[in-house]
Amino acid sequence: MPDKSLDQQRLKWRDRLSVKQARIAVALTLLIGLLFSAIQIAWDLREEQNLIDRTVKQVLATLRESATQAAYGLDETLAARVVSGIFEYEPVYEAVLRDNFNNILAKQSEEQISSSRSFLTKLMFGENQQYEIQLLTGNAGDLVGHLSVKIDTDMIAGGFLNRATRILTSGILRNLLLGLVLVAFFYATLTKPLLRISEQLRKIDPQNPDPEAIDIPPSHARDELGMILQTTRNLIDRISTTLEKLRTTEQQVRDRESQLNAIVQNVADGILTITPTGRIVEYNAATKQLLGLMRDETPQGRTLHEFLMPRAIPLLEHTLEDLASHAPGSSAVEKRITLPIVRADQKEIDVSVALRMIPDTATPLMTAVLNDITVRKRYEEQLVYMANHDTLTNLPNRSMLEHSLSNALKTHRDNIAVRRGATAVLFIDLDRFKVINDSLGHGVGDLLLKAVGLRLQKVIGRQEVVGRLGGDEFLIIIPDLKETQDAAILSQAVLDALAPAFDIKGRVLFVTPSIGIALYPSDGEDFPTLMRNADTAMYSAKSGGGGTYHFFTKTMNESAMARLVIENDLREALANNQFELYYQPKVDLRTDRICGMEALIRWKQPGRGYISPMQFIPVAEETGLIGKIGEWVIREVCRQISEWDAQSLPPLAIAINLSPRQLIEGHITETISRILSETGTPAARIVLEITETVMMQEIKKAATILDELRHLGLQIAVDDFGTGYSSLAYLKRLPINSIKIDRSFVRDVTIDTDDAAITKTIIAMGHNLGLNVVAEGVETNEQMDFLRESGCDEVQGFLIATPQPPSEIVHHIRRLSAIEQTS
């Protein structure tokens, strides 16, 4: 029952609506008809007015020339004809022609037509219209008079009103009939279908719109209504799809919001929403943990200032003010600062705070992301410490020493007017530390360096700085040296401090330093110069045997420069093959035949001639070039042996002097083995001569290397025997074939009983050990006779032959061989 009454009420309202719409349609049609009629009348009125204006102006234009002549010549007759001609236009009831002094030359008027519609006339055409034109003559346009005309509008309005009445009456009737026809047509073809569409749309559920609820009648399948219904159906279908997507998106947004909230709550950094004054509005769980708050405590409503160290509050306030001063809507600006925070448990931590304004908020708000950087900051401080300190001794490293010395020099320069004294640099190098490091291992060497560093720290005062440059090199900086002698006093204190033995893993070790001293400003005005000169002074102290200190002098610098020149020339000599080998023969005293030779290096530098080995061999030893030079000597000897074998010379063994660095530091066994293999030289043809002193310093390592060389088939000889620590113990332990008596004993063997006794003892000792004994430096027949009587096996010296180049020594060998054959 309620549904039926509702439908009846809807039908009643629909009928009322239809009648109302019909009345409105008819009224609108009539109004439109009246409007168009009024527009047509207004248009005709305007055209009538324009026609009057055009006609009058045309008439006046036609008579202008005549009127101008009449006014210019003051010709009243011509003026009367002009005025009379104007009245040919019927609405004119008055015409006047005046000269330029406003004097009337001609005037004519008629009685106006009276009309009862004067009000309408005035409404449409206004008062009687008057036209006036100026009469001009000449190129300059001089004014000569005026022509005035008045028009009777009543005469014009009468005809126009009759036409307007007919137009208005016919328009009303026509539009009334048209309105009725249109109302009937549109009601049947449009209103009723639209009402049906409205009924269908009213039945659609807004929450779940179904496009199938829109029914398209077959009669309207191909007309505009059908298109409207189809469009409406498509629209509802899209709305339904869009609603479904909106519901899905809304759910996704809720899920994403939930996920973001979970991320914010579970992130390790503290995330806050604060006001520009620092008051906390929102926070995540990590914030409470970072601030050390209890479970029941909340930071909400409190300010960040409450958790800061007092010294950091001005920085926070300044940053917040600076961030808040940016214009709203401007590009996002972020401020990062580091603040010290005091947690609720009174623990102090360092926090990196990233502040950013939140855009498009009703009240200004900011986000603050708090990241605990305490561990990172401590790590960075540790890295800075490690970058400036030696990891082994914890002393300042080279970088820190350079910084300290630069500061000391700057202080001197800034206060040069009032400051006296100097800055001293003590360059310390441990003597023979490499021997300890190589023989006992790097572990023992590192412990020794740490112990040396501790002793050096105890020697210096508060103003001095001690650090490690690297390896076994240390540096002491005296920033304010009052007297030069103070540097010597401190250097002696270093010598005294390092003099006592070191106990390293139960081993008693002794180490002495060589100290070079350079002073600012006399020896240099910057770190590199002072370091270079102190290093030069240290080498001077080391060359004197070590265990002492030397002040830098210009002479040292000149010596160092000369050594540098020799080093550069040596490198060039190696590259350009400037070295030569000379050979000195050895004679067997039992047979007086040549039994071997010794290869001696010579350096012939272009433009300077031959340079003594005493000059360049020490430099080659210091710079490490001796390894390459020694390898060249071995290869050249092997090449020479092959050449002489091809010339059918007697197969003699050739002795080669082996450098200490070659033996201990290089890969001598691998080098010689490779050269012998490449050249095809028999190993027995090579004798390696090693000085006694080197073997005693590195006896264990030397014995191992010599064993390897003996296994290759090489012969081993001890050179300069008797000048070192001659003992049977080491002779028994070393795999050697022969010993060479040093020339210092042979020189005075015939005049010095001590040298004679020592020489005989060496010969006897060598024979008892089964070793071949060679005496070098034989220059007289007396020396040779003594050695022969003492049982020496071989001799070598200027008495036999001087060192000679390969071409000359060949002739010498052939000559001696010929003498032997004839004898």
Side-chain angles (χ1 to χ4, degrees):
M1 287 296 293
D3 292 339
K4 187 175 181 180
S5 60
L6 183 60
D7 290 340
Q8 290 176 350
Q9 188 175 2
R10 285 178 179 174
L11 290 173
K12 184 177 180 181
W13 278 106
R14 188 181 67 183
D15 293 340
R16 290 182 179 179
L17 183 61
S18 300
V19 174
K20 182 178 179 181
Q21 288 175 340
R23 289 200 301 268
I24 293 173
V26 173
L28 285 175
T29 304
L30 290 174
L31 289 174
I32 291 171
L34 289 173
L35 177 62
F36 277 106
S37 297
I39 291 172
Q40 184 177 356
I41 293 170
W43 181 268
D44 291 345
L45 177 62
R46 182 178 176 184
E47 288 296 319
E48 188 71 21
Q49 291 173 341
N50 291 337
L51 178 62
I52 294 171
D53 288 340
R54 286 195 303 272
T55 303
V56 173
K57 289 177 181 179
Q58 186 176 2
V59 171
L60 293 177
T62 303
L63 300 174
R64 180 192 295 272
E65 184 176 355
S66 299
T68 301
Q69 291 177 359
Y72 180 75
L74 302 177
D75 189 346
E76 295 181 354
T77 305
L78 179 58
R81 286 200 302 270
V82 170
V83 169
S84 176
I86 292 174
F87 275 85
E88 291 181 4
Y89 181 55
E90 292 183 359
V92 177
Y93 73 90
E94 183 180 289
V96 180
L97 178 62
R98 298 182 179 86
D99 61 13
N100 59 337
F101 298 105
N102 211 23
N103 297 318
I104 298 174
L105 297 178
K107 179 178 181 180
Q108 183 178 342
S109 60
E110 293 182 356
E111 186 179 355
Q112 297 185 49
I113 299 174
S114 61
S115 173
S116 61
R117 295 177 291 188
S118 59
F119 172 75
L120 291 176
T121 301
K122 291 180 180 180
L123 182 64
M124 290 183 294
F125 297 99
E127 296 289 344
N128 291 330
Q129 297 181 15
Q130 180 176 346
Y131 296 87
E132 183 175 338
I133 60 174
Q134 294 179 341
L135 303 176
L136 305 174
T137 185
N139 295 330
D142 296 329
L143 180 66
V144 296
H146 300 273
L147 178 61
S148 301
V149 176
K150 292 183 177 179
I151 304 299
D152 186 0
T153 55
D154 282 341
M155 181 182 295
I156 299 170
F160 180 77
L161 288 175
N162 291 330
R163 292 197 306 274
T165 301
R166 289 194 299 271
I167 291 171
L168 187 61
T169 303
S170 61
I172 291 173
L173 292 175
R174 183 173 61 251
N175 286 320
L176 177 61
L177 292 174
L178 178 62
L180 293 175
V181 172
L182 289 176
V183 166
F185 175 76
F186 282 111
Y187 179 80
T189 60
L190 187 61
T191 302
K192 289 182 69 175
L194 288 177
L195 288 174
R196 286 198 296 271
I197 294 173
S198 176
E199 275 305 313
Q200 293 181 17
L201 292 175
R202 199 178 294 117
K203 296 177 181 179
I204 294 175
D205 184 4
Q207 296 299 323
N208 295 292
D210 182 10
E212 298 300 326
I214 302 297
D215 180 39
I216 302 177
S219 58
H220 294 290
R222 296 182 178 276
D223 59 11
E224 291 81 358
L225 285 175
M227 293 175 61
I228 291 174
L229 289 173
Q230 185 61 46
T231 302
T232 304
R233 176 184 285 182
N234 294 338
L235 180 61
I236 291 174
D237 184 42
R238 289 200 203 114
I239 291 173
S240 176
T241 304
T242 303
L243 283 175
E244 187 62 32
K245 290 181 179 179
L246 285 174
R247 292 190 185 100
T248 304
T249 303
E250 184 180 1
Q251 184 60 41
Q252 290 175 349
V253 169
R254 284 197 295 268
D255 295 342
R256 184 69 58 84
E257 184 179 354
S258 177
Q259 292 173 0
L260 289 175
N261 185 57
I263 292 172
V264 169
Q265 292 300 323
N266 290 293
V267 75
D269 294 339
I271 301 177
L272 305 172
T273 301
I274 61 174
T275 65
T277 60
R279 188 167 300 280
I280 299 172
V281 179
E282 295 179 354
Y283 63 93
N284 67 344
T287 302
K288 293 181 64 174
Q289 184 177 0
L290 188 142
L291 298 177
L293 298 175
M294 302 295 290
R295 182 175 298 179
D296 56 345
E297 291 183 283
T298 176
Q300 192 169 10
R302 301 170 68 178
T303 63
L304 279 178
H305 304 66
E306 300 178 35
F307 301 97
L308 298 183
M309 296 288 289
R311 68 177 184 274
I313 292 177
L315 174 60
L316 176 63
E317 292 179 345
H318 174 74
T319 305
L320 292 176
E321 291 174 2
D322 187 24
L323 195 60
S325 64
H326 287 82
S330 60
S331 58
V333 178
E334 183 178 274
K335 297 286 185 180
R336 287 184 175 271
I337 54 176
T338 299
L339 299 174
I341 285 182
V342 180
R343 290 162 44 99
D345 55 7
Q346 301 305 309
K347 180 181 177 182
E348 183 178 343
I349 61 173
D350 292 309
V351 174
S352 173
V353 182
L355 297 165
R356 184 188 288 262
M357 290 295 297
I358 301 176
D360 304 327
T361 55
T363 58
L365 292 174
M366 303 178 185
T367 58
V369 180
L370 280 59
N371 180 21
D372 186 356
I373 60 170
T374 306
V375 175
R376 189 184 76 189
K377 192 172 182 181
R378 302 257 170 81
Y379 180 66
E380 289 174 353
E381 292 172 353
Q382 184 179 0
L383 287 178
V384 172
Y385 180 85
M386 292 173 63
N388 292 289
H389 288 78
D390 176 51
T391 55
L392 178 63
T393 62
N394 285 327
L395 295 176
N397 60 10
R398 185 184 184 89
S399 174
M400 189 65 178
L401 289 170
E402 182 175 358
H403 179 72
S404 299
L405 182 57
S406 298
N407 287 342
L409 300 183
K410 184 177 183 300
T411 303
H412 264 286
R413 285 191 288 267
D414 293 343
N415 303 320
I416 192 170
V418 296
R419 192 162 185 173
R420 296 289 186 267
T423 294
V425 175
L426 277 62
F427 195 111
I428 303 170
D429 184 88
L430 303 182
D431 300 327
R432 292 176 293 280
F433 173 77
K434 193 172 189 321
V435 176
I436 297 174
N437 212 27
D438 292 342
S439 58
L440 301 180
H442 291 282
V444 173
D446 290 347
L447 292 175
L448 179 59
L449 290 175
K450 292 175 68 175
V452 169
L454 291 174
R455 290 194 187 183
L456 291 177
Q457 284 180 298
K458 293 178 181 178
V459 170
I460 66 171
R462 291 185 177 181
Q463 289 187 345
E464 289 83 21
V465 179
V466 61
R468 182 182 175 218
L469 294 171
D472 60 339
E473 295 177 343
F474 295 84
L475 190 74
I476 294 179
I477 301 172
I478 308 175
D480 192 10
L481 189 69
K482 304 301 181 184
E483 299 290 341
T484 303
Q485 189 60 27
D486 292 342
I489 293 173
L490 182 58
S491 297
Q492 186 59 50
V494 170
L495 295 174
D496 296 340
L498 300 184
F502 291 87
D503 185 359
I504 307 296
K505 288 188 174 181
R507 294 178 181 271
V508 178
L509 301 176
F510 291 90
V511 65
T512 58
S514 294
I515 305 173
I517 306 171
L519 304 177
Y520 166 88
S522 59
D523 298 334
E525 296 187 355
D526 54 27
F527 179 83
T529 306
L530 288 171
M531 286 292 295
R532 183 174 64 251
N533 293 337
D535 184 48
T536 301
M538 182 274 295
Y539 270 107
S540 175
K542 189 177 286 291
S543 64
T548 185
Y549 61 87
H550 281 182
F551 282 89
F552 172 77
T553 63
K554 291 184 178 180
T555 305
M556 292 178 187
N557 197 25
E558 293 169 0
S559 176
M561 289 300 296
R563 188 169 64 245
L564 181 61
V565 170
I566 292 177
E567 179 184 348
N568 293 335
D569 290 345
L570 279 175
R571 296 183 187 278
E572 185 178 353
L574 275 170
N576 298 330
N577 198 25
Q578 295 176 3
F579 293 111
E580 300 176 359
L581 285 183
Y582 277 44
Y583 296 88
Q584 187 176 32
K586 293 186 290 186
V587 172
D588 189 334
L589 289 178
R590 291 184 296 272
T591 63
D592 288 332
R593 292 182 178 179
I594 295 178
C595 58
M597 289 184 288
E598 180 179 3
L600 300 170
I601 190 169
R602 296 291 184 266
W603 177 17
K604 187 177 182 181
Q605 188 178 24
R608 291 181 59 187
Y610 286 99
I611 299 174
S612 170
M614 300 297 293
Q615 287 184 270
F616 69 84
I617 291 298
V619 177
E621 288 276 0
E622 290 177 11
T623 58
L625 291 173
I626 194 66
K628 292 184 178 179
I629 294 174
E631 184 176 344
W632 178 85
V633 170
I634 296 170
R635 187 178 293 277
E636 180 62 19
V637 167
C638 291
R639 187 199 65 77
Q640 192 64 65
I641 288 174
S642 299
E643 183 178 323
W644 284 339
D645 287 347
Q647 296 175 7
S648 301
L649 261 67
L652 302 175
I654 298 179
I656 300 172
N657 289 288
L658 204 60
S659 141
R661 289 191 73 163
Q662 273 183 286
L663 179 67
I664 303 302
E665 297 180 13
H667 303 282
I668 189 64
T669 305
E670 293 85 344
T671 300
I672 294 178
S673 177
R674 184 180 71 254
I675 294 174
L676 293 176
S677 176
E678 291 174 357
T679 60
T681 305
R685 299 282 294 277
I686 303 295
V687 180
L688 298 179
E689 295 186 355
I690 299 98
T691 58
E692 179 185 11
T693 305
V694 173
M695 289 189 293
M696 287 306 298
Q697 290 175 349
E698 304 273 355
I699 188 166
K700 288 185 178 180
K701 188 171 184 179
T704 302
I705 296 173
L706 293 177
D707 270 331
E708 295 173 353
L709 294 172
R710 280 294 302 274
H711 279 92
L712 289 178
L714 301 168
Q715 300 180 55
I716 309 296
V718 178
D719 198 9
D720 300 335
F721 188 81
T723 60
Y725 310 92
S726 305
S727 69
L728 293 172
Y730 95 84
L731 288 176
K732 291 169 60 178
R733 292 171 56 187
L734 294 175
I736 58 179
N737 302 96
S738 60
I739 56 176
K740 292 184 72 173
I741 303 173
D742 188 69
R743 66 181 67 246
S744 62
F745 298 112
V746 175
R747 183 178 59 246
D748 298 327
V749 74
T750 58
I751 58 175
D752 190 322
T753 55
D754 290 338
D755 286 346
I758 292 172
T759 301
K760 287 182 178 181
T761 302
I762 292 174
I763 294 171
M765 183 176 61
H767 288 164
N768 289 333
L769 293 173
L771 301 175
N772 192 47
V773 181
V774 182
E776 60 179 350
V778 178
E779 298 179 358
T780 65
N781 289 318
E782 290 80 4
Q783 292 170 349
M784 181 178 286
D785 292 339
F786 174 84
L787 293 169
R788 183 181 282 115
E789 292 172 2
S790 301
C792 186
D793 300 308
E794 299 173 7
V795 293
Q796 173 185 346
F798 289 170
L799 181 63
I800 311 300
T802 60
Q804 299 174 14
S807 58
E808 296 181 15
I809 200 66
V810 167
H811 296 303
H812 187 76
I813 293 172
R814 292 187 188 278
R815 181 172 55 82
L816 289 178
S817 299
I819 293 173
E820 292 170 2
Q821 291 175 2
T822 57
S823 61

